[in-house]
């Protein structure tokens, strides 16, 4: 039986979705900087009340700016990877499960659905791939 790699990637995408794995598309540090800066300015202008108001305004501004800046890993796996990136992800996954006696990608799909250790190994390799190959940061 020939393995449909799209089925395997769909299964991996489902696993990442169940784990609520997301990545930052842009730096979250900007939001923290905006929130802290407005709290600081508010404190300078109006003391403790200004800090509260500045922190609130900064928090709302950071929230507004960060909308759409986080993306589910499942969406990246399903829609954003090039053929070469999918190939590299498959190499990462197969390397991570070799120690678990999975030698063929066709065997991986049924085992993935039933084995927590294989699921963990696959998720771990997805996290590594996303960080090293795609240069994206995971969000907990």
């Amino acid at each position: 039986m020939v393995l449909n790699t799209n089925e395997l990637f769909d299964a991996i995408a489902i696993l990442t979705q169940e784990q609520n794995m997301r990545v930052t598309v842009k730096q979250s540090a900007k939001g923290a900087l905006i929130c802290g800066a407005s709290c600081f300015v508010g404190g300078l202008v109006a003391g403790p009340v200004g800090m509260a108001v500045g922190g609130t305004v900064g928090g709302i501004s950071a929230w507004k700016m960060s909308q759409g800046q986080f993306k589910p890993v499942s969406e990246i796996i399903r829609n954003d990877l090039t053929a070469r990136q999918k190939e590299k992800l498959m190499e990462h996954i197969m390397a991570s499960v070799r120690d678990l006696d999975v030698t063929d990608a066709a065997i991986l799909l049924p085992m993935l659905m039933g084995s927590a250790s294989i699921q963990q190994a696959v998720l771990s390799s997805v996290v590594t791939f996303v960080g090293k190959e795609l240069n994206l940061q995971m969000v907990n």
Side-chain angles (χ1 to χ4, degrees), residues 8 34 47 57 80 88 111:
L8 183 59
I34 289 169
V57 169
D80 297 346
K88 285 185 110 175
M111 292 182 76

Side-chain angles (χ1 to χ4, degrees), residues 2 13 20 35 75 88 109 111 119 125 129:
V2 176
N20 196 26
C35 190
E75 186 178 319
K88 285 185 110 175
L109 185 58
M111 292 182 76
Q119 288 176 3
S125 63
F129 175 81

